[in-house]
Amino acid sequence: MADAPASLNPAQLAAVHHLSGPCLVLAGAGSGKTRVITHKIARLLQAGLEPKQIAAITFTNKAAQEMRERAKGLVGPRAAKDLVVSTFHSLGVRLLRADGSRLGLKEQFSILDSDDVLGVLRDAGGCTDNALARRWQWTISLWKNQGLDSDGAAHAAKDDDERVAARVMQRYEERLAAYQAVDFDDLIGLPLKLLQRDDEARAKWQDSFRHVLVDEYQDTNAVQYDLLKALVGERAMFTAVGDDDQSIYGWRGATIENLKRLPQDYPQLKVIPLEQNYRSTGSILRAANNVIAANPKIYEKKLWSEFGDGEPVRVVECDGEEHEAERAVARIQSLRSQGGQVKFSDFAILYRANHQARVFEQKLRAAQIPYKVSGGQSFFDRAEIKDLCGWLRLLVNQDDDPAFLRAVTTPKRGIGHQTLASLGEFAGKWKVSLFEALFAESLGTTLNKKAIGSLHEFGRYVNDLEHRARHTTGGEDAKALLLQWLKDIGYEQHLYDGEDSEKLAAARWSNVMDFVDWIAKRCGGEITPRLATGRPEAGARPSGADAEGVSGPSDSGGTFESEKQSVLQVAQTISVIISLAERGDQQDVVTLSTLHAAKGLEWPHVVLVSINEGLLPFKSEDDEMTPQRLEEERRLMYVGITRARTTLTVSTLRRRKRGRDTVQGIPSRFIGEMKLHEATAKEDPKERLKRLRTELAAKAAASAAAAKESM
């Protein structure tokens, strides 16, 4: 048995063997929380529970997959197959697929993604301003995460903007009901509504899940907390695993108050801190403990490890952003030059905001160091590509209601909200998909002839396009079909009509052409080479990418060759291709990442950059730094420090850019709170000489590269 119980420390064993009631495991950074969860699953099975009676809930599909694989190694594939290991949202889908009819949902209800929601909100608010609709979307999401519906939001609204958002929310709710659709927040809120209002459903699910384990508990919002309470009932057999020192998502609705509520709601709660760290050296952990000690404590804990002190934490001052990037590159080159098996993938450069990545990308490219921008926008996440993927999804599966809604409204074709609402009501009544409903003979009892004519015209076009896509193979024929399709629906004009900037519209149309070429190549069975770094060769324009380093459409892993496929066959595999294109974990590349995106990850060598007042802690000029916000920013610093295993470098700017201005840089208060020894902050003279030589070499290489490009 891999990772046998003998390898667990006393605190971990206590958490695994506590089966008599609710348990809170305070899992400090790098303390082996996944090991505890998977061993507790094995212990619950030994105690007589069936695999299907155990639910382990986490926040990302990647974390759920890792947990399932680890559990499989402990309990075997047969038992692991029946475990319920999922995200909160996947669990919500499970409940709604089974019992959503009790709330008026048909079994095959639609789940709208972020862009689908934006379109419905624009319609509900009667506006074409994407920025305004995004603000509504964000506000409504926060309200939903607090458990508020439109009536509750109207009472909670603090100003005119929020009162308008509450009215839009009411119309938005009406449209979702008519479309038989839900958004991602509803996947938590509606299951909670089901369990709170339906005694039979609540008893059924409480009996189904005899023990619930929740990972990253500190990231739960108010609705997720109440959903957990409703699932476990009075029996209260659950294990919550989290860390109050790593609660960094307050801006999206997570609340650290959930950790405070647990002992109030469950007086018998057993609290077990995990303090032994299996990741970092002593000097890194001391810096982390010192920083977080400035925050008020809900529960006391202090990380320690058996790895010894290791190399002292370095603090370096830089003249500005470019100098800082040069020093980060020099640090990478210096550690790699010391011998051993130091890889590029051993390094991460972490920053507060996405826009800070650009200068590091420039310096890494100049030094010919491969890198990836973690959390950067995928090519397939662009609105124009999602529009076209929606059409292709509809060709593959005409029961895909979100794809139908996206295709029928993008571009607009004279089929309005009221028509779609009536179609949705009709489809819900007869329990059919929207596409199937538009050809129903009895639809005339719901819609007038003009509306039915427009729907039939759309349906016939989709059927004709599906037939042509099924029988079109070869790169040139596929490209001709796709270009004709885009012309038929007027998509290029749609992009130009929807953008104030002609340049931006042209860039979006260029992305569409890249997508067409990509599909055509796959239909033609052409060989598509891909660099090991996932980036184009020097001087080449990245396919579907811009200067920000956004990844374009490409296949993952070396060279891909296939037989000729039809357009429809390629459409059927797009979701798989997207999944492959997003794999980058195996690449030997330096990681550039925001601190938020880095949570849960670790690297041997970490450089925390631009640790200055105004950046970390972040504060804009008209922003108020409340004690609660400062505490969350401090937790973000703590998360950054604890990503490092062997070495940690913290850099600060003497001068920094703020908009178009250059202002004096003030070192972050968090650097002082690390309480490093003076010797730690000073650079050894030999190291300084070596670093300066490396920086000069990097500058010379960058100048040579720039001169070559200008020729």
Side-chain angles (χ1 to χ4, degrees):
M1 180 183 289
D3 207 8
S7 67
L8 299 177
N9 65 43
Q12 291 172 332
L13 281 170
V16 166
H17 288 286
H18 182 75
L19 306 181
S20 59
C23 180
L24 172 61
V25 181
L26 290 170
S31 62
K33 66 183 177 65
T34 305
R35 187 190 310 173
V36 168
I37 293 172
T38 52
H39 275 86
K40 186 145 193 178
I41 290 171
R43 180 70 187 89
L44 289 165
L45 293 174
Q46 290 173 355
L49 291 190
E50 295 293 325
K52 64 183 179 181
Q53 294 177 316
I54 301 170
I57 310 171
T58 187
F59 277 82
T60 67
N61 288 319
K62 182 179 178 182
Q65 181 62 27
E66 179 190 352
M67 194 178 294
R68 181 177 292 280
E69 290 301 315
R70 295 272 289 272
K72 187 190 296 184
L74 282 174
V75 305
R78 180 178 297 180
K81 180 173 69 71
D82 292 330
L83 293 170
V84 179
V85 182
S86 73
T87 63
F88 267 103
H89 293 93
S90 296
L91 183 69
V93 171
R94 176 188 286 255
L95 269 65
L96 293 179
R97 292 288 187 220
D99 289 320
S101 59
R102 295 172 179 265
L103 298 173
L105 284 175
K106 66 178 183 179
E107 186 176 348
Q108 294 303 316
F109 60 85
S110 301
I111 302 171
L112 305 185
D113 68 16
S114 178
D115 285 333
D116 295 329
V117 167
L118 191 68
V120 178
L121 280 173
R122 283 199 306 265
D123 183 52
C127 85
T128 58
D129 184 345
N130 275 344
L132 176 59
R134 286 284 184 205
R135 289 197 294 274
W136 289 338
Q137 185 176 9
W138 186 255
T139 302
I140 290 170
S141 178
L142 287 176
W143 278 332
K144 287 190 174 188
N145 288 335
Q146 295 166 19
L148 300 176
D149 59 12
S150 57
D151 289 337
H155 285 99
K158 298 187 291 290
D159 53 38
D160 288 343
D161 288 342
E162 289 195 355
R163 281 185 279 275
V164 170
R167 289 194 293 272
V168 172
M169 184 178 181
Q170 182 180 13
R171 296 193 288 271
Y172 172 66
E173 289 175 340
E174 292 169 356
R175 281 157 173 75
L176 290 188
Y179 295 159
Q180 283 286 300
V182 302
D183 60 27
F184 268 59
D185 296 317
D186 292 329
L187 294 178
I188 312 297
L190 289 178
L192 174 60
K193 182 179 178 181
L194 171 72
L195 297 181
Q196 287 179 334
R197 299 185 182 182
D198 191 310
D199 294 344
E200 186 178 342
R202 182 170 63 252
K204 167 189 168 181
W205 289 104
Q206 287 179 357
D207 189 59
S208 293
F209 299 138
R210 309 296 289 183
H211 199 102
V212 179
L213 303 102
V214 181
D215 189 18
E216 303 288 4
Y217 179 78
Q218 76 281 348
D219 294 336
T220 55
N221 59 41
V223 178
Q224 287 163 335
Y225 181 90
D226 288 337
L227 180 61
L228 173 64
K229 281 187 67 177
L231 278 173
V232 302
E234 293 183 3
R235 190 169 60 246
M237 296 300 291
F238 69 84
T239 302
V241 181
D243 182 5
D244 50 332
D245 292 333
Q246 295 187 74
S247 179
I248 59 173
Y249 294 114
W251 50 275
R252 70 181 188 195
T255 173
I256 200 169
E257 293 299 312
N258 287 350
L259 282 163
K260 298 178 182 177
R261 288 176 63 185
L262 271 180
Q264 297 168 7
D265 290 343
Y266 302 98
Q268 72 275 39
L269 181 74
K270 176 76 170 179
V271 180
I272 301 172
L274 304 183
E275 298 176 295
Q276 183 172 358
N277 175 282
Y278 294 92
R279 176 187 300 162
S280 307
T281 62
S283 61
I284 293 171
L285 294 181
R286 263 197 311 278
N289 287 331
N290 289 338
V291 165
I292 206 64
N295 271 1
K297 286 291 183 183
I298 301 176
Y299 303 100
E300 285 294 335
K301 71 174 183 304
K302 193 170 186 178
L303 296 180
W304 60 275
S305 81
E306 296 179 338
F307 296 149
D309 262 10
E311 185 175 315
V313 174
R314 294 166 174 257
V315 176
V316 296
E317 286 188 319
C318 306
D319 293 333
E321 285 85 356
E322 288 209 7
H323 184 220
E324 181 176 51
E326 289 165 359
R327 295 199 70 167
V329 169
R331 177 69 172 156
I332 293 169
Q333 293 171 323
S334 173
L335 286 171
R336 277 177 54 81
S337 70
Q338 292 175 13
Q341 300 296 315
V342 182
K343 300 178 292 185
F344 286 122
S345 57
D346 291 338
F347 295 89
I349 298 173
L350 307 182
Y351 38 79
R352 180 63 174 80
N354 276 310
H355 70 85
Q356 294 172 263
R358 181 176 299 231
V359 66
F360 295 97
E361 289 194 71
Q362 292 169 346
K363 298 303 179 183
L364 288 165
R365 280 199 296 266
Q368 298 184 322
I369 294 176
Y371 66 91
K372 66 176 179 180
V373 181
S374 179
Q377 186 187 36
S378 162
F379 181 84
F380 292 94
D381 284 336
R382 293 181 175 276
E384 59 271 22
I385 304 306
K386 293 180 84 169
D387 285 344
L388 304 186
C389 285
W391 273 86
L392 295 175
R393 280 165 43 203
L394 184 61
L395 299 187
V396 172
N397 175 19
Q398 293 180 346
D399 288 335
D400 187 335
D401 283 356
F404 174 91
L405 289 171
R406 189 158 199 140
V408 79
T409 57
T410 312
K412 290 188 179 298
R413 59 192 66 254
I415 300 174
H417 157 68
Q418 195 54 54
T419 296
L420 292 174
S422 298
L423 181 67
E425 290 173 4
F426 181 88
K429 177 180 177 181
W430 295 103
K431 296 184 174 14
V432 295
S433 69
L434 293 171
F435 191 86
E436 186 178 353
L438 68 84
F439 286 116
E441 291 184 8
S442 56
L443 187 60
T445 61
T446 302
L447 291 170
N448 61 43
K449 287 186 178 180
K450 181 180 178 182
I452 291 175
S454 297
L455 288 170
H456 282 180
E457 182 183 356
F458 172 73
R460 284 192 293 269
Y461 181 76
V462 170
N463 282 334
D464 177 63
L465 184 60
E466 187 273 341
H467 176 79
R468 286 184 287 156
R470 184 183 297 278
H471 294 94
T472 300
T473 59
E476 290 302 318
D477 289 343
K479 186 169 184 177
L481 170 63
L482 295 168
L483 292 176
Q484 185 61 49
W485 160 48
L486 293 171
K487 183 178 179 182
D488 290 344
I489 65 175
Y491 193 74
E492 183 177 12
Q493 189 61 47
H494 162 74
L495 290 181
Y496 278 87
D497 289 345
E499 291 291 350
D500 295 331
S501 164
E502 189 169 315
K503 183 178 179 182
L504 184 55
R508 294 183 65 189
W509 179 246
S510 177
N511 289 334
V512 171
M513 291 297 96
D514 285 340
F515 188 54
V516 167
D517 288 340
W518 178 75
I519 294 176
K521 283 181 180 179
R522 294 189 62 80
C523 289
E526 296 183 28
I527 297 174
T528 307
R530 183 171 186 257
L531 297 178
T533 63
R535 293 192 169 273
E537 294 177 4
R541 180 184 180 275
S543 177
D546 59 19
E548 299 284 354
V550 178
S551 59
S554 55
D555 298 303
S556 180
T559 300
F560 180 87
E561 184 175 8
S562 68
E563 298 178 357
K564 288 186 178 182
Q565 302 178 72
S566 72
V567 173
L568 197 66
Q569 286 174 313
V570 173
Q572 287 172 323
T573 61
I574 275 183
S575 62
V576 179
I577 299 301
I578 292 172
S579 174
L580 289 174
E582 289 173 350
R583 283 187 198 163
D585 296 343
Q586 310 306 318
Q587 298 172 352
D588 185 22
V589 296
V590 173
T591 296
L592 300 179
S593 175
T594 64
L595 287 162
H596 283 99
K599 185 173 175 293
L601 304 176
E602 60 182 78
W603 295 268
H605 309 289
V606 169
V607 184
L608 294 182
V609 299
S610 301
I611 309 302
N612 283 74
E613 290 293 314
L615 292 172
L616 187 67
F618 178 79
K619 183 182 181 301
S620 59
E621 288 184 14
D622 55 352
D623 227 359
E624 180 187 358
M625 180 59 74
T626 64
Q628 292 76 19
R629 274 202 49 207
L630 178 60
E631 289 164 17
E632 181 157 320
E633 292 288 305
R634 185 175 285 113
R635 292 194 292 268
L636 192 57
M637 178 70 175
Y638 173 85
V639 165
I641 294 170
T642 54
R643 297 313 93 197
R645 286 161 49 189
T646 307
T647 74
L648 174 64
T649 301
V650 180
S651 61
T652 182
L653 303 170
R654 296 189 186 96
R655 290 180 295 276
R656 70 178 184 90
K657 292 180 180 176
R658 189 168 64 194
R660 295 185 177 182
D661 299 326
T662 298
V663 299
Q664 180 183 359
I666 301 172
S668 170
R669 69 194 77 186
F670 300 150
I671 293 178
E673 290 174 358
M674 292 166 74
K675 297 181 181 177
L676 304 174
H677 297 299
E678 278 299 311
T680 305
K682 292 181 179 178
E683 194 172 10
D684 180 84
K686 291 182 180 179
E687 283 294 317
R688 174 178 169 79
L689 182 59
K690 185 177 181 180
R691 174 180 59 77
L692 289 172
R693 286 173 176 165
T694 306
E695 286 181 16
L696 286 171
K699 282 185 178 180
S703 299
K708 186 177 180 181
E709 285 186 10
S710 65
M711 291 176 64

